[in-house]
């Protein structure tokens, strides 16, 4: 039977290890699947570097599987690490490298990507992690192609997921890859979760308000634009609000912001629509018009490119 080893460590939460144990351990839950659907066949092992680990909340977990069992598993799963700024133990790094040498499947959830990165198994690969840690992961390990947008990245034998709950999406993806859509759908049905979630992390990232530019003329034009997002705004109008010629305005805007006025304006229109999608009882068409898009089609196009999901799916996600 395919063994799935899940790392347990001092200071861990029960969520990520629990969701992985639940999904991959369903072979031990007979009678829970639809007629004609075989449960996924995995043997789950919670592995730690010491016999007991202290969990958040005061619980103590005792396991009979050690770090050598993790090194010998068919799938190695690393949940969030306790501290992304601390190097993992040499024993864990060696175990991950040993599993990699055997061509085992390597999986991380959330900040667990830092442990895989420390072992060197993400070098030259695309990977993701929680959006909060994406920039730090890229800085610490420049040989990794870090993408903060998707819920998970499948790079063949090495798979990484975004924030903790995205581990559900990744584990279901693994079941779907190993056993097919029907089994994965039955697992999702039992857990009462979607077999596949649309979108990515972009819809959850807390977008900061842009810092005002040091160029007062550019800042004045930007402030005026934000007050008039509900109407068409031309490049010439923006330049006029900044008391510049069109050519000078384009040059100075790029110097001050690192982007173009039109790209910036589209981003602001999309950002302005989020609160309306979350709270206002307006149709997509009404929201598109209220934030200044010429048509719902144009709005959906730019929203999907920027947020990696559709306006309707975003609304469903945040309003239920």
């Amino acid at each position: 039977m395919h063994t799935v080893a899940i790392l347990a460590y001092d200071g861990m939460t029960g969520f990520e290890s629990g969701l992985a144990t639940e999904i991959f351990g369903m072979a031990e839950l007979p009678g829970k699947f639809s007629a004609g659907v075989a449960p996924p066949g995995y043997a789950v092992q919670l592995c730690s570097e010491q016999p007991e680990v202290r969990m958040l909340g005061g619980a103590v977990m005792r396991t009979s599987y050690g770090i050598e069992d993790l090194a010998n598993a068919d799938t190695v799963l690393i949940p969030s690490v306790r501290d992304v700024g601390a190097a993992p133990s040499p024993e864990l790094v060696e175990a991950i490298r040993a599993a990699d040498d055997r061509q085992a499947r390597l999986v991380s959830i959330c900040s667990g990507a830092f442990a895989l990165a420390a072992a060197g198994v993400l070098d030259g690969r695309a990977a993701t992690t929680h959006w909060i840690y994406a920039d730090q992961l890229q800085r610490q390990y420049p040989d990794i192609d870090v993408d903060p947008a998707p819920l998970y990245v499948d790079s063949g034998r090495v798979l990484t997921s975004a924030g903790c709950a995205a581990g559900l999406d990744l584990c279901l993806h693994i079941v779907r890859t190993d056993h097919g859509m029907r089994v994965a759908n039955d697992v999702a049905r039992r857990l009462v979760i979607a077999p596949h979630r649309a979108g990515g992390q972009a819809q959850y990232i807390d977008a900061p308000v842009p810092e005002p530019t040091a160029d007062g003329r550019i800042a004045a034009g930007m402030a005026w634009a934000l007050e008039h997002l509900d109407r068409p705004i031309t490049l010439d109008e923006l330049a006029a609000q900044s008391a510049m010629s069109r050519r000078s305005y384009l040059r100075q805007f790029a110097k001050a912001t690192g982007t173009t006025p039109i790209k910036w304006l589209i981003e602001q229109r999309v950002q302005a629509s989020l609160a309306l999608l979350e709270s206002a009882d307006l149709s997509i068409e009404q929201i598109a018009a209220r934030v200044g898009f010429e048509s719902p089609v144009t709005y959906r196009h730019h929203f999907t490119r920027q947020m990696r999901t559709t306006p309707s799916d975003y609304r469903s996600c945040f309003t239920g």
Side-chain angles (χ1 to χ4, degrees):
M1 186 174 286
H2 186 105
T3 57
V4 177
I6 303 168
L7 179 68
Y9 57 90
D10 267 344
M12 68 182 290
T13 69
F15 180 64
E16 293 165 49
S17 59
L19 71 86
T21 302
E22 176 80 7
I23 290 177
F24 295 118
M26 283 192 175
E28 301 175 20
L29 300 173
K32 302 298 183 182
F33 289 79
S34 303
V37 177
Y42 302 102
V44 177
Q45 300 174 347
L46 284 166
C47 304
S48 67
E49 296 183 58
Q50 55 275 339
E52 291 185 351
V53 296
R54 296 180 300 276
M55 302 173 65
L56 289 181
V60 176
M61 184 178 70
R62 183 177 294 112
T63 178
S64 57
Y65 297 103
I67 202 72
E68 67 280 358
D69 296 297
L70 185 134
N72 291 316
D74 299 306
T75 291
V76 172
L77 190 148
I78 311 296
S80 292
V81 297
R82 185 176 182 177
D83 180 1
V84 296
S89 71
E91 291 78 15
L92 176 58
V93 169
E94 183 57 35
I96 293 172
R97 289 174 177 168
D100 184 49
D101 289 341
R102 293 188 302 98
Q103 301 293 294
R105 179 163 53 200
L106 306 175
V107 181
S108 68
I109 297 176
C110 194
S111 60
F114 282 81
L116 296 186
V121 300
L122 294 181
D123 289 352
R125 298 180 185 270
T128 193
T129 186
H130 194 294
W131 59 269
I132 287 176
Y133 303 124
D135 288 343
Q136 183 175 346
L137 182 64
Q138 189 68 84
R139 286 195 304 270
Q140 286 185 219
Y141 302 99
D143 291 335
I144 303 172
D145 179 14
V146 179
D147 186 351
L151 293 174
Y152 60 84
V153 171
D154 182 341
S155 293
R157 259 193 327 105
V158 183
L159 304 94
T160 52
S161 85
C164 301
L168 286 165
D169 302 275
L170 179 53
C171 290
L172 270 180
H173 169 73
I174 291 171
V175 172
R176 188 161 50 243
T177 300
D178 290 350
H179 299 282
M181 184 71 72
R182 192 175 181 191
V183 172
N185 286 349
D186 247 37
V187 171
R189 191 174 295 113
R190 171 175 166 75
L191 294 172
V192 198
I193 60 175
H196 176 74
R197 279 199 291 167
Q201 291 195 86
Q203 56 194 299
Y204 303 102
I205 296 175
D206 186 15
V209 176
E211 290 291 331
T213 171
D215 189 323
R217 295 172 300 169
I218 297 296
M222 294 170 78
W224 175 85
L226 291 175
E227 293 175 359
H228 297 83
L229 287 178
D230 60 340
R231 49 155 287 189
I233 298 174
T234 67
L235 184 57
D236 287 335
E237 285 179 308
L238 288 171
Q241 290 296 323
S242 297
M244 296 183 191
S245 69
R246 180 188 180 109
R247 183 175 179 181
S248 293
Y249 178 72
L250 284 171
R251 184 173 64 254
Q252 294 301 321
F253 192 97
K255 181 180 178 181
T257 67
T259 187
T260 68
I262 299 305
K263 286 182 179 179
W264 175 84
L265 188 58
I266 289 172
E267 289 174 0
Q268 302 315 304
R269 294 190 192 282
V270 169
Q271 289 298 316
S273 76
L274 300 184
L276 298 176
L277 288 169
E278 293 173 21
S279 59
D281 187 20
L282 299 173
S283 68
I284 301 299
E285 290 72 17
Q286 290 172 316
I287 291 174
R290 184 163 293 192
V291 297
F293 283 102
E294 60 186 23
S295 72
V297 173
T298 303
Y299 170 53
R300 289 189 180 95
H301 168 73
H302 289 298
F303 190 99
T304 302
R305 285 191 63 183
Q306 187 169 323
M307 303 302 296
R308 305 296 181 96
T309 189
T310 66
S312 297
D313 283 341
Y314 180 93
R315 166 171 273 173
S316 297
C317 177
F318 283 93
T319 61

